[in-house]
Amino acid sequence: LNFREGNYETALRHLKNASEQMRDPTILDHLGDCYSILGDSASAATHYSQALELDPGNRNIQKKLKSNQ
């Protein structure tokens, strides 16, 4: 919800916390989205790569990774 409302810093904090609790490709994908929007392409690419390790066939994440490398 924070992400959709444009509260990216708050969303980032919540997603970081969630990613520490479990490795989930959706959480990692959303972390990548937050970092990308905040202009941190390197961190975005790192999290998209981690998401792809868990969900290697996800074409949407593959596209996001290519655009942040």
Side-chain angles (χ1 to χ4, degrees):
L1 183 61
N2 285 302
F3 182 85
R4 283 189 243 169
E5 292 179 350
N7 300 320
Y8 304 118
E9 294 289 342
T10 302
L12 186 63
R13 280 196 315 272
H14 290 293
L15 289 165
K16 281 181 177 181
N17 186 41
S19 73
E20 292 170 2
Q21 303 299 314
M22 71 176 89
R23 284 189 45 92
D24 179 86
T26 303
I27 293 170
L28 293 167
D29 177 30
H30 292 322
L31 262 171
D33 293 343
C34 279
Y35 280 116
S36 181
I37 286 173
L38 293 171
D40 187 345
S41 295
S43 292
T46 297
H47 287 86
Y48 291 141
S49 293
Q50 291 173 359
L52 280 176
E53 287 176 15
L54 300 172
D55 187 6
N58 190 315
R59 293 190 185 273
N60 189 40
I61 298 172
Q62 290 172 359
K63 288 179 188 178
K64 292 178 188 180
L65 177 58
K66 284 184 182 181
S67 70
N68 279 278
Q69 288 183 325

